[in-house]
Amino acid sequence: MKLEGVYVAVVTPFENGKIAEKTYEEYLEKLIQSGIAGIVVCGSTGESSMITMEEHTSLFRLSKEIVNNRIQVIANAGANSTDEAVYLTKEAEKTGVDAVLSVVPYYVKPTQEGIFLHYKAIHDETDNIPLIIYNVPGRTAVDIKVETVVRLSSLERYIGIKESSSDMEKVSNLVAQTKPNFSVLSGNDGTFLPLLAVGGHGIISVIGNIMPKELVALYNSVKKGDLNTAIEINTKMLPLFQALSFEANPIPVKYALYKMGQVSSELKLPLTMLSETYQKKMDQVLKDLSLI
């Protein structure tokens, strides 16, 4: 399995606290038709920290059924407990998803050796599922080092990393020092274009929920060597990049999708609706982009 292109970290639509399956199907169909390479299910954008284990596996299975092998389905199965991450990875593998994304253990602040052993355990205690590292130091309080990623990339089933540090020097080193078939994906929409410029392979995106065709066009433009078009698209999206950071993800993106008529605005506590001040600002950004 090769990771390249645009992957969208999808939201989880709810209705009265339950997964809104019909809404989810309609929403995924629109993304599939946009030309993206795949989706990431139950990530931060999908409110993974607030949903139950049963809801995780239900979403893995449902997503795979809806997609029906038209694009790749990546399941987020990360946890700060190694035992829990191994369990959830095994459950994801049973559902037939294409790969598993696993976050650097959060809150406990492990050493680099602890991080390596955590990921090695996930690799050694599961069967055939391809594995992806997820580095997001702004949420985990720990930054996985290049040397640790290089060690992990030597393990057979680690195929890539979602790198959300926005450190392009680090990205350059990841590309240079990992094996050729190891993919480095952006975890930040605003640094997608710079990441491609230093040899990165794609993105796991939030803005892709709202402007998937534009993001795919940006990627394709870079691949064709048409940097001017890529810059034009990136510039067009800049106000939305900023708007999606008004409050913690996925609050702004779920509000935007609600305004676009795709999902309800319902979130799992402790997440709450986008504040009224930011609602007005988001509405204006969406209007300026002719999205509402």
Side-chain angles (χ1 to χ4, degrees), residues 169-187:
E169 183 177 356
K170 180 181 181 183
V171 169
S172 298
N173 281 306
L174 287 171
V175 172
Q177 296 181 40
T178 53
K179 58 192 178 185
N181 61 343
F182 187 86
S183 297
V184 181
L185 307 178
S186 176

Side-chain angles (χ1 to χ4, degrees), residues 106-167:
Y106 47 88
Y107 183 74
V108 294
K109 297 184 179 180
T111 63
Q112 292 298 306
E113 184 64 16
I115 293 171
F116 173 78
L117 292 173
H118 170 85
Y119 280 112
K120 187 174 186 299
I122 295 170
H123 180 276
D124 293 350
E125 296 181 37
T126 55
D127 295 325
N128 300 306
I129 192 81
L131 302 168
I132 306 163
I133 302 158
Y134 178 21
N135 185 46
V136 56
R139 286 182 180 259
T140 63
V142 177
D143 188 5
I144 189 170
K145 293 184 178 179
V146 172
E147 294 81 4
T148 307
V149 177
V150 172
R151 289 177 72 192
L152 289 168
S153 73
S154 68
L155 300 177
E156 181 183 3
R157 288 186 290 113
Y158 277 104
I159 63 170
I161 182 171
K162 177 184 178 184
E163 176 57 46
S164 300
S165 69
S166 298
D167 181 345

Side-chain angles (χ1 to χ4, degrees), residues 248-269:
N249 182 46
I251 293 172
V253 68
K254 209 164 196 184
Y255 175 79
L257 288 170
Y258 160 68
K259 292 295 294 188
M260 294 168 67
Q262 293 197 38
V263 303
S264 77
S265 59
E266 188 175 334
L267 294 145
K268 292 271 193 179
L269 286 172

